[in-house]
Amino acid sequence: MHPHSKNIASVKIKQVLSALEQFAPLPLQESWDNAGLQIGLTEAEVSGALLCLDVNEAIVDEALQKQCNLIVSHHPLLFRGLKQISDANDVQRTVMKLIKAGIAVVSMHTNLDNALGGVNFKIAERLGLTDVQLLAPKNVGGTECGSGVIGTLPSPMDAQDFVLYVKRQMEAQSAACNELMKRPIRRVAICGGAGDFLMDEALKAGADAFLTGEMHYHQYFGYEQQLQICVIGHYESEHFTAALFQEIIGKACPEIRTEIAETNTNPIHYI
Ligand SMILES: [Zn+2]
């Protein structure tokens, strides 16, 4: 017998689910959200976990190819109830394909946005921010959590250099900004995804810049020379969440093989 072969402990899907929920408890999610187990049998043994932002048919194909019977995504596959499971649309086809293949899906969405050490802390880490704190802290059943983070750049940056730095660190192809600030950028507020609801909080907290994934046209008005708005795309703002999943699972269940998805699920293409 190979000396290591007997040590390969089996881990069940429910153990990974509980490790993820321990890091980002489900009560932390927003009321409209549907984080948690989406599909699958939790008593099954994990053959491997594919980590991604969105679940679509291409991701299921990648899971099959990589022999992963668990997909961990940031965005939930299911938001509303399904009244039919057929080939009528992409979500239904994906559900059908997952069930046929015996692949489970777990999604950690706004519960992970709001958790300490969650999505926005990961973005702050990519930017090398220090002194990172919750931007809009709250307390849910004794757990400290909240929306957005704010932190300090290692050294002050010229506004244009800052935007280019963000693009590079986040591997983004474009950045939509308001008028470039004439003062240096030191404090940066962050909210992955659609974060414009936090801009006034960012100003109040003394941020020089506000980084988010997407924002409506009219929201750009009125912050000139107050806040350097920097909008890099929803996918680009959150795609390092897969690396965060890898850290969480690696710590709690080191026996499990985790794979960061190679499939780019961004539905938006820049021409
Ligand atoms: Zn998102």
Side-chain angles (χ1 to χ4, degrees), residues 16 31 43 48 60 79 123 161 181 201 232 256:
V16 182
S31 57
E43 290 291 340
V60 183
F79 268 110
I123 301 170
D161 292 343
M181 293 267 274
E201 291 293 337
I232 58 170
I256 292 183

Side-chain angles (χ1 to χ4, degrees), residues 245-263:
F245 287 139
Q246 193 164 48
E247 289 163 21
I248 300 167
I249 297 171
K251 240 178 236 169
C253 317
E255 312 87 336
I256 292 183
R257 178 175 58 90
T258 55
E259 309 265 4
I260 290 179
E262 290 168 85
T263 305

Side-chain angles (χ1 to χ4, degrees), residues 53-54 74-75 109 113 192-194 214 234-235 237-238:
L53 202 60
D54 310 284
H74 180 45
H75 296 140
H109 192 210
D113 288 328
E214 60 173 299
H234 193 125
Y235 181 90
S237 73
E238 298 185 322

Side-chain angles (χ1 to χ4, degrees), residues 43 67 73 79 102 139 181 185 196 199 240 261:
E43 290 291 340
Q67 299 182 334
S73 71
F79 268 110
N139 191 298
M181 293 267 274
I185 309 294
D196 57 9
M199 282 206 287
F240 293 106

Side-chain angles (χ1 to χ4, degrees), residues 34-76:
N34 186 40
L37 180 68
Q38 308 281 297
I39 287 181
L41 302 177
T42 61
E43 290 291 340
E45 239 173 66
V46 181
S47 61
L50 186 69
L51 316 173
C52 57
L53 202 60
D54 310 284
V55 187
N56 60 15
E57 289 182 276
I59 285 286
V60 183
D61 287 336
E62 186 177 344
L64 280 168
Q65 183 218 325
K66 296 196 158 125
Q67 299 182 334
C68 296
N69 67 349
L70 173 62
I71 294 172
V72 181
S73 71
H74 180 45
H75 296 140

